[in-house]
Amino acid sequence: MRRTDLRNVAIIAHVDHGKTTLVDCMLRQSGRFRESQLVGQQILDSNDLERERGITILAKNIAIPYRGVKINIIDTPGHADFGGEVERTVGLADGALLLVDAAEGPMPQTRFVLGKAFERGVRPIVVINKIDRPDARPHEVLDEVLDLFISLGAEHVLDDFPHIFASSKLGYATADPARPGEGIGPLMDLILEKIPGPEAELDAPLRLRVTTLDWSDYVGRIAIGRVHAGTIRKGQSVLLLQSDERRTPAKIASVFLFQDLGRVEVHEVDAGDVCAVVGLEGVEIGDTIADPLAPAALPRITVDEPTLKMTFGVNSSPLSGREGKFLTTRHLRERLDRELEKNVALRVEPIVGTEQFAVAGRGVLHLSILIETMRRESYELSVGKPQVIFKEIDGVRHEPFESLVVEVPTERTGPVMELIGKRRGEVVEMTTHRDYTFLVFSIPARGLIGLRTRILNATQGTAVMHHRFEAYKPAAEGIADRASGVLVSTVAGRAVAYALNGLQNRAELFVAPGDEIYAGMIVGENSREGDMNVNPAKEKKLSNVRAVGHDENVLLKPARRMTLEEALEFVADDELVEITPTQIRLRKILLQETDRRRAARAAGN
């Protein structure tokens, strides 16, 4: 049977197409909240990093009632690096709202999330969003979505192709983009009409698959998932079916249902609904909570493999231990193990013979969010250059390729084509909308490292880039590394304006007067190839001889302060990013100049 009093709906889209803003509209439409409870925008983006960056990082669950039906809403991230969040949570839903920007049209992540929805049998409702944009072309975009459905082999859904036009910013949905609506009600009605209620085997033995883990300082680990069959009750004895065919007896301490923006404790939850369960000590994502008398495991959650890895190690610089609380390899290992419990797209392996870890993820942003979270938790660590993960397929070395979309003003297309061409990117498609050109490339993932900064510089910040994993292809040759060298300090102390004044004509500086430095620290980017050893702490020698007009004012350009992503994309193979709660520094792996020379001679032999 299907439940008619319930709908499970995921909201999926490319990044910045308005998912979280649309949820704001649905919350207001439900009439369940006072105005003071829905202050601001992107209400579900409650994480500090989500607020700062304006993106959704973690999938969220909420539930709102509408016309006697409870609608469980799963808000998912749109950035390709957080595709693992989408893959594990879309299985909770029976239907999905596929948001597409009325001007940009389907983007790389749109294809990815829609493909995952079809794999799991989720029925989509297409929402052409942002029809209030001056460059909106809603009917053309709808045709492009139809083409996308056909290319994904989803002809079976074209007979019943529900779609609606919306402006989540202005808070309305309408069947005709030329006629603005009064509210988001038409979309809510379409959800009730077109998305089926969940199939529910109420009399069958209990089966619940865990898709998300949460943590509370009061009750410990919280398992979140959908009840696929039976009923789960407070105080019930269950069997935890885990990986490697492990079976762990357990007892349910509490059961919570999602209600409005929070959770409410209940006695029992029937099949078809999404709930949170407390009391299961060693539960992991993908486990099945089953009836001990008739245990049957549901298929485990599988996600696409990581394509990028970095080396994580303790901070070994001379300035280590001054700010952070967690400094040792043990602290680092425990934190990474804890992350693995809820981040299904992450992989961690210890590097044999060292105290370092190879951490693999979906992209630089995926790993940098983990690093940023750790530094805010008072960890200190050193991170190496991002490296793509190669594979041997039929005896041939393959590497990951990405589908890259660049939106750029038409007059600035040339520099973009040149930069991407140097990194072995091939043009797949080129279209023009008014004054902008959309370029689609197939490019090695190695070529993307450091590309965003160069394209933004070449286009004066007017280009917009999006990319997602495409496929493994034979490894490309001749991808250029960083063209310029760096300035490496040979002394410890504090940077002096007099010394920096002599260096700024031949380099872009990363330090300002008064900044603490140490031998082996990178203090600037050289204007030419090759590294240069410098003394940023050199002071002017004083004597009692003076000449009129000999002294000069020191005018220094502001130091370049890199963000975490920029630093990770900048470093070379023999360099590290030193990360503390307040500082991001660049350094050589070998701090002493003599050690670096010896290593260079050994590499030359």
Side-chain angles (χ1 to χ4, degrees):
M1 60 170 286
R2 284 190 179 273
R3 294 182 59 173
T4 58
D5 62 336
L6 186 64
R7 299 291 187 275
N8 296 319
V9 184
I11 301 185
I12 56 178
H14 187 77
V15 63
D16 201 31
H17 280 198
K19 296 180 300 302
T20 309
T21 307
L22 183 70
V23 174
D24 293 352
C25 298
M26 297 173 76
L27 291 170
R28 292 185 170 93
Q29 181 72 33
S30 70
R32 294 274 297 181
F33 304 94
R34 299 186 306 273
E35 196 61 35
S36 60
Q37 291 178 279
L38 301 176
V39 175
Q41 298 178 333
Q42 289 86 43
I43 297 164
L44 290 195
D45 286 346
S46 53
N47 184 297
D48 287 343
L49 282 173
E50 291 177 324
R51 288 285 186 188
E52 292 171 17
R53 295 170 182 255
I55 60 174
T56 301
I57 297 172
L58 301 172
K60 314 289 193 317
N61 296 73
I62 63 168
I64 56 176
Y66 183 73
R67 296 191 174 179
V69 177
K70 176 185 174 183
I71 303 176
N72 283 320
I73 298 175
I74 304 110
D75 183 25
T76 63
H79 201 286
D81 282 21
F82 307 113
E85 291 283 308
V86 179
E87 290 174 83
R88 67 178 173 79
T89 55
V90 75
L92 295 172
D94 301 292
L97 300 183
L98 175 69
L99 264 70
V100 184
D101 191 297
E104 294 181 0
M107 299 292 277
Q109 186 71 354
T110 310
R111 171 180 286 272
F112 171 79
V113 295
L114 187 59
K116 295 298 178 185
F118 285 146
E119 284 178 15
R120 288 161 173 78
V122 174
R123 300 275 300 184
I125 294 176
V126 176
V127 182
I128 307 299
N129 195 26
K130 301 190 180 182
I131 59 173
D132 56 303
R133 286 182 57 162
D135 56 346
R137 45 189 188 93
H139 293 294
E140 291 179 45
V141 168
L142 185 60
D143 291 339
E144 292 174 7
V145 176
L146 277 168
D147 293 338
L148 178 59
F149 274 48
I150 294 170
S151 70
L152 289 172
E155 291 88 349
H156 61 284
V157 301
L158 297 182
D159 295 337
D160 184 14
F161 182 71
H163 64 275
I164 198 166
F165 302 93
S167 168
S168 54
K169 181 179 178 182
L170 301 180
Y172 70 83
T174 176
D176 184 357
R179 297 181 180 179
E182 298 271 328
I184 208 74
L187 174 59
M188 307 283 279
D189 294 335
L190 198 61
I191 290 174
L192 300 189
E193 178 187 351
K194 295 297 183 181
I195 293 180
E199 290 185 348
E201 300 178 62
L202 297 176
D203 298 328
L206 170 65
R207 292 200 307 275
L208 182 153
R209 181 169 56 200
V210 178
T211 58
T212 306
L213 289 180
D214 201 355
W215 174 265
S216 166
D217 290 335
Y218 300 100
V219 298
R221 194 173 297 189
I222 303 171
I224 299 171
R226 172 174 165 175
V227 184
H228 289 265
T231 301
I232 189 166
R233 298 179 178 87
K234 179 178 180 180
Q236 181 179 2
S237 296
V238 297
L239 196 63
L240 206 56
L241 306 180
Q242 301 186 282
S243 58
D244 303 326
E245 299 186 355
R246 287 177 292 148
R247 298 188 170 203
T248 308
K251 188 173 183 179
I252 306 298
S254 304
V255 181
F256 294 83
L257 270 179
F258 290 93
Q259 180 176 303
D260 300 334
L261 293 174
R263 295 191 284 250
V264 58
E265 187 172 1
V266 295
H267 178 68
E268 64 181 31
V269 176
D270 291 327
D273 215 337
V274 179
C275 66
V277 180
V278 173
L280 307 178
E281 283 291 325
V283 65
E284 300 173 354
I285 289 177
D287 291 352
T288 299
I289 302 172
D291 188 328
L293 300 179
L298 292 163
R300 292 193 70 82
I301 295 172
T302 58
V303 299
D304 292 344
E305 291 297 313
T307 57
L308 197 78
K309 64 180 179 181
M310 298 182 194
T311 300
F312 281 44
V314 296
N315 182 14
S316 58
S317 86
L319 303 181
S320 66
R322 299 191 179 186
E323 301 172 11
K325 295 180 182 177
F326 306 106
L327 313 171
T328 66
T329 304
R330 178 177 61 83
H331 290 142
L332 189 58
R333 183 189 300 109
E334 290 173 353
R335 179 62 180 83
L336 292 174
D337 288 342
R338 199 160 68 245
E339 187 69 21
L340 283 173
E341 293 177 357
K342 57 184 178 181
N343 196 334
V344 294
L346 199 72
R347 302 287 185 273
V348 177
E349 294 180 2
I351 300 175
V352 179
T354 70
E355 293 188 347
Q356 298 175 323
F357 301 89
V359 182
R362 288 288 183 85
V364 173
L365 182 61
H366 182 203
L367 295 175
S368 69
I369 290 293
L370 168 60
I371 296 169
E372 182 66 34
T373 305
M374 290 175 65
R375 70 184 291 226
R376 294 182 183 209
E377 295 171 357
S378 205
Y379 283 82
E380 287 193 19
L381 64 156
S382 298
V383 180
K385 177 184 176 180
Q387 306 278 355
V388 301
I389 299 173
F390 291 92
K391 286 185 177 180
E392 289 285 334
I393 302 177
D394 297 329
V396 180
R397 194 179 193 223
H398 284 59
E399 69 173 313
F401 274 65
E402 304 261 339
S403 176
L404 170 67
V405 177
V406 183
E407 178 187 356
V408 63
T410 303
E411 69 272 10
R412 302 189 188 275
T413 305
V416 173
M417 300 280 281
E418 181 182 357
L419 282 169
I420 296 177
K422 288 180 179 178
R423 293 168 179 253
R424 296 298 181 262
E426 296 181 358
V427 179
V428 176
E429 184 182 340
M430 178 188 294
T431 56
T432 302
H433 302 313
R434 298 190 180 181
D435 297 332
Y436 279 80
T437 298
F438 286 80
L439 300 163
V440 182
F441 299 89
S442 178
I443 182 173
R446 279 184 298 158
L448 287 174
I449 299 173
L451 180 63
R452 183 180 298 272
T453 303
R454 295 185 181 278
I455 284 186
L456 290 177
N457 289 339
T459 61
Q460 281 73 53
T462 55
V464 179
M465 292 174 54
H466 300 293
H467 60 88
R468 64 163 293 269
F469 174 71
E470 179 186 346
Y472 268 87
K473 298 180 181 179
E477 300 294 335
I479 297 178
D481 289 329
R482 188 180 68 203
S484 57
V486 292
L487 305 188
V488 185
S489 174
T490 58
V491 297
R494 292 192 178 272
V496 176
Y498 172 75
L500 297 180
N501 186 44
L503 298 174
Q504 69 175 350
N505 294 328
R506 66 188 79 179
E508 184 178 15
L509 298 175
F510 300 156
V511 296
D515 287 353
E516 199 159 8
I517 57 175
Y518 55 83
M521 179 174 161
I522 296 171
V523 296
E525 181 180 6
N526 200 355
S527 58
R528 61 190 69 183
E529 291 185 14
D531 297 340
M532 182 164 44
N533 296 306
V534 298
N535 180 2
K538 180 181 179 183
E539 297 181 344
K540 184 176 181 180
K541 299 300 180 184
L542 300 179
S543 69
N544 56 3
V545 177
R546 290 289 182 271
V548 177
H550 183 70
D551 288 339
E552 59 184 44
N553 287 330
V554 175
L555 298 176
L556 291 175
K557 292 180 289 186
R560 176 182 169 189
R561 303 296 189 184
M562 289 190 183
T563 64
L564 180 57
E565 284 85 7
E566 290 172 342
L568 292 171
E569 292 182 341
F570 179 83
V571 290
D573 292 332
D574 64 336
E575 298 165 1
L576 295 173
V577 182
E578 176 192 347
I579 298 151
T580 73
T582 64
Q583 298 290 329
I584 296 174
R585 304 183 184 96
L586 306 182
R587 52 162 285 189
K588 290 290 185 180
I589 295 176
L590 301 175
L591 296 179
Q592 297 302 318
E593 182 183 354
T594 53
D595 294 337
R596 294 196 295 274
R597 287 180 178 174
R598 191 178 298 115
R601 286 197 299 269
N605 295 334

